[in-house]
Amino acid sequence: EIQDIIENELMEFGKFELAKKYILYREERTKIRNRNSQLMKDIAKKINASDIQNQNANVDENSFGGRAGEARDELLKDYALNYIVSDMSKNNHLNNEIYIHDLSSYALGDHNCLSIPFDDLLAKGFNTRQTDVRPANSINTAFQLLAVIFQLQSLQQFGGVSATHLDWTMVPYVRKSFFKHWNDGMKYIENINDVSGSMDMSIESDYYKSFSKAYGYAIDKTTKELQQAVEGMYHNLNTLQSRSGNQLPFTSINYGTCTLPEGRMVIKALLEGSIKGVGKVHRTPVFPCGIFQCMKGVNRKEGEPNYDLFKLALKSTAQRLYPNYCNVDWSVNVGYDKNDPKTYVSTMGCRTYNGYDINAEIGVNPQTKDGRGNICPVTIIIPTLAMEAGKKVEPFMELLDKKIHEAKDMLIERYNYIISQSPEAARFMYENNLMAGFDGKTIESAMKHGTLAIGQLGLAETLRILIGKDQTTKEGMELAKRIEKLFKDRCAEFKERYKLNFGVYFTPAENLCYTSMKKFQKKYGKIKDISDKDFFTNSMHCSVWKELSPFEKIDIESQLTGYSSAGCITYVELEGTVKNNLDVLEILVNYAMDKDIPYFALNIPNDTCLDCGYCDEFNDKCPECNSENIQQLRRVTGYLTGNYKTAFNKGKQQETELRYKNSKKLSNWRR
């Protein structure tokens, strides 16, 4: 009322310019009040847990920590969107055109994920805020420190953490434990001989007997210590919660290529630990995401040194869904060094891949993965662009090109904000050189080695909007390749022009597949096979309900995975009975590798009775004890995370239930 009086008085006295400014001021203040009012309502919903969205299947939004974290995120998102990002970025985000991931983290200026240089940290030790940690001197200590480092680094960022070649990393610590047990064995045997006087140590054969006994003792003790260490790792990574909402760190471990006896012991122990499960009913471990690195000449065929471990990996996958499989021989990873496992193809569980580093230091192979990660992603919601282009191909391609350039600008904008932060904000990471290249002065010296990822969502729906056919048809695939080539060419251009590692990212879109569809439906309504479901098809995948055999799905998606340079995944859905046919799993994994798929996963139903531990596909009731206290694990993005009926958002729940079992189209596969 007072403001109305002021406005009227100004007009009456002829102060029109001043009145105009006052009116504009009032409008701006009204917008701010309304926004703050809505913000407080949104925060209240999060605090009271009255609007559970399951935006991250690994966060319990009902918990105190989850409620506090979700409420905090609402405030930080609002701050980032209204006070940090440019109008161009904000409009793209709000218009459902280019999504800015993890806006709350944008406000803080932290980055996404990291492949941790465990070789150096375990060998040299590291500092924390409170103390310093000595180098590992046994395999048990090494695995304990692995969990500690995973936990500490996950607090320095907002994404996942990985070990790129864990089998090779642990070799020195298997040796340290072995020699400790060897010395103990020799001392014990010498003491026995001294007491009994039964052995004349001057006789050569008796020396060999002593050595043989000590060796057997050391091997036995080392094996048991390794098994306990791995069991401890699985236990720690499934119980050591951090961040908001009792969230477990998103951890991934890559392994499978080390042919040294010590490395083979590590691989075997990791797989046997996965098969055994965790806890009193031996649940499937949700973390770490195990990733078996397939490599020609090492583990792909009978007669190769680690083929037996590949077979064991398949057994683990059949029972526990992990490990997934990545392709060391992937053509996009050209230039890797066969003698340096740090350069092998490795990935995060979700699919993030560190490609060729245009800023590699002198003497460092540009394909080195350790100490690098995805700095920040954005995702272009391409079905929105197809509708805005009037459902016409050429206008769409022009608009897509424009939006790819804007996505690049949005990433540079965020990158500049991130590198403006102080190293003190992530002291553990920078003080211990977890991120490669840090010069002790500027964050940019390290961040420039990471990836700026331009992602995409909804290729299948986009193709149907534009030509009425998706990538499962010849015409659809031709247009799909044209779209992906534009992404690839532009990222290559940006990489050279800006000397930053731009890459094409086939986005996981765990929550975005749902939230972007809700916005799309609000604007365009429900359109058959485009927006008549609660989710968009993830990245370049075939729609989950398509009735394809595993080989057909691999054939189709393998034509597109080579366009990605920042991460992608292909998976096939199988029936539970495949557990009894490991030969089929072997054929499928090798087929995917031979088709140049970089990262491959097999989805096999995994239902566990939490009362008796029975594990198979049985949905609502345990066939052994009739308990309804069951956990139904299904894959989301690339990870496993909780019971999908309670942990996934509505879109991902529906997507999971609509997934066609590709194995249904395999003839005579049940041998």
Side-chain angles (χ1 to χ4, degrees):
E1 290 174 357
I2 292 171
Q3 289 181 341
D4 284 341
I5 292 169
I6 294 171
E7 191 175 311
N8 290 333
E9 289 294 316
L10 288 171
M11 295 293 287
E12 186 175 331
F13 280 96
K15 305 289 187 180
F16 299 117
E17 283 299 317
L18 185 57
K20 180 180 178 181
K21 290 180 180 179
Y22 187 72
I23 291 167
L24 292 173
Y25 159 78
R26 286 190 68 183
E27 288 179 357
E28 184 62 28
R29 293 299 304 164
T30 299
K31 288 179 184 177
I32 292 172
R33 277 196 302 275
N34 290 339
R35 192 185 79 226
N36 288 340
S37 175
Q38 184 59 47
L39 176 62
M40 288 303 108
K41 289 177 183 177
D42 292 341
I43 288 175
K45 287 179 183 178
K46 298 300 183 182
I47 289 174
N48 298 320
S50 61
D51 184 29
I52 301 296
Q53 294 291 323
N54 291 327
Q55 297 181 78
N56 184 324
N58 194 27
V59 173
D60 179 4
E61 293 182 19
N62 282 298
S63 68
F64 287 131
R67 286 151 60 186
E70 289 293 303
R72 179 206 67 166
D73 284 355
E74 288 296 322
L75 181 62
L76 290 174
K77 287 175 185 176
D78 182 83
Y79 181 79
L81 208 55
N82 290 292
Y83 297 101
I84 298 177
V85 308
S86 66
D87 288 342
M88 179 271 292
S89 296
K90 179 179 178 179
N91 291 335
N92 272 318
H93 184 82
L94 295 178
N95 292 339
N96 209 33
E97 294 173 333
I98 307 177
Y99 182 77
I100 305 171
H101 288 270
D102 299 280
L103 264 173
S104 58
S105 297
Y106 196 144
L108 296 172
D110 60 349
H111 81 287
N112 185 5
C113 61
L114 188 69
S115 295
I116 298 174
F118 280 108
D119 293 8
D120 293 338
L121 291 166
L122 295 178
K124 299 175 183 177
F126 54 91
N127 296 320
T128 69
R129 183 180 177 186
Q130 292 82 9
T131 188
D132 61 278
V133 177
R134 297 190 301 272
N137 280 311
S138 70
I139 192 62
N140 186 46
T141 302
F143 269 104
Q144 287 184 29
L145 293 182
L146 176 88
V148 169
I149 294 166
F150 269 147
Q151 181 86 353
L152 289 169
Q153 179 56 31
S154 72
L155 298 171
Q156 313 285 299
Q157 55 180 62
F158 61 84
V161 283
S162 77
T164 65
H165 51 283
L166 188 59
D167 44 352
W168 293 92
T169 296
M170 291 298 175
V171 165
Y173 309 102
V174 174
R175 289 176 179 169
K176 286 177 182 289
S177 287
F178 173 81
F179 283 113
K180 282 184 179 181
H181 296 308
W182 162 270
N183 288 330
D184 289 343
M186 287 299 292
K187 289 177 183 177
Y188 176 75
I189 292 167
E190 288 172 1
N191 288 337
I192 292 294
N193 292 337
D194 288 343
V195 172
S196 66
S198 61
M199 184 178 290
D200 184 355
M201 295 300 288
S202 64
I203 301 175
E204 186 176 349
S205 63
D206 289 337
Y207 277 112
Y208 284 119
K209 289 179 183 178
S210 298
F211 291 151
S212 178
K213 288 180 181 178
Y215 178 83
Y217 173 85
I219 285 290
D220 181 60
K221 285 290 188 180
T222 303
T223 301
K224 288 178 180 177
E225 182 185 348
L226 176 57
Q227 290 170 340
Q228 291 172 347
V230 167
E231 184 176 342
M233 178 201 69
Y234 279 116
H235 174 80
N236 288 333
L237 295 182
N238 285 279
T239 56
L240 290 174
Q241 297 167 340
S242 64
R243 299 179 181 161
S244 62
N246 307 321
Q247 183 182 11
L248 294 169
F250 280 88
T251 53
S252 305
I253 54 174
N254 294 260
Y255 56 86
T257 63
C258 186
T259 57
L260 297 171
E262 301 89 345
R264 284 176 45 78
M265 287 175 68
V266 171
I267 299 167
K268 186 171 185 286
L270 290 169
L271 292 169
E272 288 177 342
S274 172
I275 293 168
K276 182 179 179 182
V278 295
K280 62 182 180 181
V281 296
H282 302 282
R283 295 196 201 188
T284 295
V286 170
F287 290 111
C289 174
I291 303 165
F292 191 88
Q293 294 167 296
C294 294
M295 188 175 186
K296 291 178 181 177
V298 174
N299 52 33
R300 293 277 308 278
K301 297 177 181 178
E302 191 167 357
E304 295 178 349
N306 281 4
Y307 177 70
D308 59 329
L309 297 174
F310 177 43
K311 298 286 280 190
L312 187 61
L314 294 168
K315 180 181 178 181
S316 177
T317 300
Q319 295 185 38
R320 302 298 186 185
L321 284 96
Y322 288 156
N324 303 335
Y325 298 86
C326 84
N327 190 353
V328 173
D329 302 298
W330 187 32
S331 59
V332 174
N333 200 53
V334 63
Y336 82 91
D337 182 355
K338 289 186 178 181
N339 297 313
D340 184 1
K342 294 178 184 178
T343 68
Y344 293 179
V345 173
S346 61
T347 182
M348 300 281 179
C350 65
R351 74 200 57 187
T352 295
Y353 161 78
N354 289 315
Y356 180 94
D357 181 11
I358 198 167
N359 293 312
E361 306 291 342
I362 296 174
V364 176
N365 187 313
Q367 291 291 13
T368 299
K369 314 302 179 189
D370 284 10
R372 301 174 58 207
N374 190 341
I375 303 305
C376 53
V378 295
T379 292
I380 300 176
I381 303 162
I382 48 180
T384 299
L385 306 188
M387 296 298 289
E388 290 176 351
K391 306 180 184 180
K392 296 179 180 178
V393 173
E394 296 310 321
F396 165 78
M397 293 302 297
E398 291 179 11
L399 181 57
L400 177 61
D401 196 15
K402 178 175 181 289
K403 291 301 173 181
I404 291 174
H405 279 82
E406 289 181 5
K408 172 261 297 178
D409 292 338
M410 291 167 69
L411 286 174
I412 291 176
E413 182 181 303
R414 186 169 186 174
Y415 175 79
N416 287 332
Y417 185 73
I418 289 172
I419 64 174
S420 72
Q421 306 302 313
S422 167
E424 291 297 312
R427 189 170 173 182
F428 173 76
M429 180 169 68
Y430 289 112
E431 183 178 357
N432 294 293
N433 295 310
L434 270 77
M435 186 169 277
F438 180 54
D439 62 5
K441 300 174 183 177
T442 67
I443 284 181
E444 184 176 16
S445 61
M447 287 288 169
K448 67 182 181 181
H449 301 292
T451 302
L452 298 177
I454 299 180
Q456 60 181 263
L457 177 65
L459 176 65
E461 288 83 2
T462 300
L463 296 172
R464 291 188 205 111
I465 292 170
L466 294 173
I467 61 172
K469 300 177 181 180
D470 61 24
Q471 65 268 52
T472 61
T473 68
K474 180 182 178 182
E475 298 85 353
M477 179 57 77
E478 287 176 356
L479 181 54
K481 288 181 177 179
R482 185 179 172 194
I483 290 169
E484 299 306 340
K485 186 175 186 302
L486 181 61
F487 272 95
K488 181 180 179 180
D489 289 348
R490 289 291 178 258
C491 282
E493 290 172 16
F494 300 155
K495 190 168 186 174
E496 288 297 326
R497 186 189 311 169
Y498 297 97
K499 300 304 177 187
L500 292 171
N501 294 308
F502 284 94
V504 182
Y505 190 43
F506 289 160
T507 311
E510 177 189 335
N511 190 50
L512 182 60
C513 74
Y514 172 64
T515 57
S516 61
M517 175 58 85
K518 293 292 105 181
K519 287 185 176 181
F520 187 94
Q521 289 172 339
K522 188 175 181 180
K523 188 171 183 179
Y524 299 110
K526 293 192 175 183
I527 308 168
K528 181 174 172 53
D529 284 339
I530 293 167
S531 58
D532 56 347
K533 299 173 179 65
D534 288 334
F535 62 93
F536 276 125
T537 299
N538 192 288
S539 62
M540 58 75 209
H541 291 308
C542 302
S543 293
V544 296
W545 61 85
K546 284 285 183 178
E547 296 185 4
L548 304 168
S549 76
F551 300 108
E552 289 171 329
K553 191 171 191 293
I554 292 168
D555 285 343
I556 292 166
E557 295 189 3
S558 65
Q559 296 180 59
L560 301 173
T561 53
Y563 291 100
S564 172
S565 54
C568 58
I569 188 172
T570 289
Y571 64 84
V572 295
E573 291 285 329
L574 304 174
E575 298 163 281
T577 47
V578 79
K579 292 180 181 181
N580 303 317
N581 196 336
L582 299 186
D583 289 344
V584 168
L585 300 188
E586 182 177 353
I587 290 168
L588 289 174
V589 173
N590 276 325
Y591 188 81
M593 299 298 105
D594 289 339
K595 285 287 182 176
D596 207 30
I597 293 282
Y599 184 35
F600 183 66
L602 298 158
N603 287 351
I604 305 168
N606 187 290
D607 302 331
T608 302
C609 175
L610 301 184
D611 287 329
C612 74
Y614 181 77
C615 182
D616 208 332
E617 181 179 12
F618 51 86
N619 295 317
D620 299 322
K621 184 180 290 187
C622 175
E624 289 289 304
C625 70
N626 292 319
S627 171
E628 295 182 1
N629 182 22
I630 60 175
Q631 179 187 55
Q632 295 177 274
L633 281 181
R634 300 294 186 268
R635 191 180 307 280
V636 59
T637 70
Y639 292 104
L640 307 178
T641 313
N643 190 331
Y644 85 92
K645 290 188 175 181
T646 57
F648 290 10
N649 62 59
K650 291 180 181 178
K652 273 297 177 188
Q653 283 185 40
Q654 186 188 50
E655 186 239 75
T656 301
E657 289 163 358
L658 289 177
R659 292 175 183 174
Y660 175 75
K661 294 286 196 298
N662 304 114
S663 54
K664 287 181 179 179
K665 290 198 72 177
L666 279 176
S667 59
N668 300 320
W669 70 279
R670 295 180 184 85
R671 288 189 240 157

